[in-house]
């Protein structure tokens, strides 16, 4: 084959490698649109960079030693009795210890600063959204507006969003990669998450924990928009002819895949608490509270 063939093949491989590396730049988690996501990206890149300070030299030295002390290199010094070097020991232990110490400090600080239960500081009133993971769809309840949606949420830009999260089925995980922080949903338990979007857009929401046959289609849209558009969206949902009755909720609890976006009016503000309570009551726990009135009843599996 001609030299030009190999040259063209080499250029093609190089371009392909570059495109493959750049493709990673489109990953949602590395393209944050909110404060939490941006801080998590910084932490991820910082930790990766610190660890590469050890990984890269080790890889380089491994290749260099293999080349220098190859069998065909008769000029390399042969010293079969060598067993210890204080200088080498100091280097290979001191540098990793320093890096581990820095990572420990970063982990301690970020664990508190990025605590998903920690409310975001803002002068703007947050939007409250209750999240219920079902098989295999997401139910979102806006208690202040008495509406509920399936597989879609909407909130204003620059306004904190307070999520309360539970499950009416198996354990799952709620995650909006571009806004940051995934957290588990568990039946009979409440977890919390606080996020904020700094740019308008439609962000992918996913289930980050395998939960059965319909797991791959358990996705939703998180839409950050203007205050005016958000209020119009709420009015549209409040006017929906679909009512969040016990029968409607029971239909949603039944397993289904690739459920389309739907809007419900008339959702009870205490619906989320009632869903949690039913699982606690089924486990024989005395919560000291009564079942909230008009809470949709769900069928609990044995």
């Amino acid at each position: 084959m001609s030299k030009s063939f190999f040259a063209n093949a080499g250029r093609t491989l190089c371009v392909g490698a570059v495109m493959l590396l750049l493709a990673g730049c489109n990953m949602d988690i590395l393209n944050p649109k909110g404060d939490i996501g941006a801080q998590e990206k910084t932490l991820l890149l910082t930790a990766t960079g610190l660890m590469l300070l050890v990984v890269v030299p080790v890889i380089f030295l491994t290749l260099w030693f293999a080349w220098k002390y190859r069998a065909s290199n008769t000029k390399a010094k042969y010293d079969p009795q060598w067993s210890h070097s204080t200088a080498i020991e100091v280097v290979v232990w001191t540098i990793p210890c320093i890096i581990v110490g820095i990572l420990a400090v970063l982990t301690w600080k970020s664990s508190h600063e990025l605590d998903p239960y920690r409310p975001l500081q803002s002068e703007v009133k947050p939007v409250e959204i209750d999240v219920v993971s079902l098989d295999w769809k997401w139910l979102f309840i806006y208690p202040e507006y008495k509406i509920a949606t399936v597989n879609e949420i909407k909130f204003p830009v620059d306004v904190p969003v307070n999520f309360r999260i539970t499950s009416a089925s198996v354990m799952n995980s709620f995650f909006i990669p571009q806004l940051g922080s995934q957290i588990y949903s568990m039946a009979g338990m409440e977890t919390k998450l606080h996020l904020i979007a700094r740019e308008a857009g439609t962000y992918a929401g996913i289930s980050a924990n395998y939960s059965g046959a319909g797991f791959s289609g358990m996705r939703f849209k998180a839409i950050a928009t203007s205050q005016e558009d958000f209020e119009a969206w709420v009015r549209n949902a409040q006017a929906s002819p679909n009512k969040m009755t016990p029968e409607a909720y029971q239909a949603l609890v039944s397993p289904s895949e690739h459920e389309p976006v739907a809007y419900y009016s008339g959702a009870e503000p205490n619906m989320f608490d009632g869903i949690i309570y039913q699982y606690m009551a089924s486990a024989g726990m005395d919560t000291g509270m009564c079942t909230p009135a008009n809470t949709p009843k769900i069928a609990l599996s044995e």
Side-chain angles (χ1 to χ4, degrees):
M1 296 183 181
S2 64
K3 292 183 179 180
S4 60
F5 172 82
F6 289 105
N8 291 333
R11 284 194 293 267
T12 301
L13 289 174
C14 289
V15 172
V18 171
M19 292 181 66
L20 182 62
L21 290 173
L22 291 178
C25 296
N26 293 324
M27 294 174 60
D28 286 348
I29 200 169
L30 296 180
N31 185 27
K33 301 299 181 181
D35 293 354
I36 301 300
Q39 292 179 62
E40 290 177 342
K41 175 186 175 182
T42 300
L43 177 62
L44 176 64
L45 295 179
T46 301
T48 301
L50 287 171
M51 289 184 285
L52 286 176
L53 291 177
V54 171
V55 173
V56 172
V58 168
I59 294 175
F60 171 78
L61 289 173
T62 300
L63 297 174
W64 182 75
F65 271 93
W67 172 256
K68 181 176 180 179
Y69 295 104
R70 67 193 185 279
S72 60
N73 185 11
T74 57
K75 296 181 180 180
K77 182 181 178 181
Y78 178 65
D79 188 2
Q81 302 303 318
W82 182 89
S83 62
H84 177 76
S85 171
T86 301
I88 293 178
E89 291 288 338
V90 169
V91 171
V92 300
W93 283 106
T94 302
I95 295 177
C97 286
I98 293 174
I99 293 176
V100 169
I102 296 173
L103 288 173
V105 173
L106 288 175
T107 302
W108 176 267
K109 292 183 61 178
S110 61
S111 295
H112 291 82
E113 294 174 355
L114 297 175
D115 181 1
Y117 279 61
R118 182 180 182 180
L120 302 178
Q121 298 297 320
S122 176
E123 298 180 356
V124 183
K125 181 182 178 182
V127 173
E128 305 288 340
I129 302 179
D130 295 338
V131 182
V132 183
S133 61
L134 306 170
D135 292 330
W136 286 277
K137 62 195 81 72
W138 293 97
L139 173 65
F140 302 102
I141 306 163
Y142 289 72
E144 295 179 320
Y145 302 103
K146 296 184 178 181
I147 62 173
T149 66
V150 173
N151 289 342
E152 181 182 282
I153 52 175
K154 206 166 198 176
F155 43 84
V157 173
D158 297 327
V159 174
V161 184
N162 297 346
F163 294 98
R164 295 195 302 165
I165 304 168
T166 191
S167 174
S169 180
V170 299
M171 186 172 73
N172 219 296
S173 182
F174 177 82
F175 191 23
I176 307 175
Q178 287 188 274
L179 299 185
S181 292
Q182 69 88 19
I183 194 165
Y184 288 103
S185 64
M186 294 166 281
M189 300 181 66
E190 174 188 328
T191 52
K192 295 182 180 181
L193 180 63
H194 299 84
L195 299 175
I196 190 170
R198 293 302 186 184
E199 295 183 25
T202 300
Y203 307 119
I206 63 174
S207 165
N209 186 77
Y210 181 73
S211 57
F215 159 76
S216 61
M218 195 171 173
R219 300 173 180 271
F220 64 93
K221 294 180 179 179
I223 305 172
T225 185
S226 65
Q227 183 68 38
E228 294 76 16
D229 287 344
F230 170 70
E231 293 174 356
W233 179 83
V234 169
R235 290 193 296 270
N236 178 64
Q238 290 173 334
S240 173
N242 299 323
K243 300 293 183 180
M244 182 47 71
T245 61
E247 293 75 19
Y249 178 74
Q250 188 59 56
L252 289 173
V253 170
S254 300
S256 62
E257 298 182 31
H258 301 283
E259 192 77 14
V261 173
Y263 307 101
Y264 294 85
S265 57
E268 291 294 331
N270 55 11
M271 179 178 174
F272 181 87
D273 297 322
I275 292 171
I276 294 179
Y277 173 81
Q278 291 178 73
Y279 279 94
M280 297 172 69
S282 70
M285 297 178 63
D286 182 7
T287 61
M289 59 183 287
C290 299
T291 304
N294 301 321
T295 296
K297 297 298 186 291
I298 59 178
L300 301 176
S301 59
E302 296 295 335

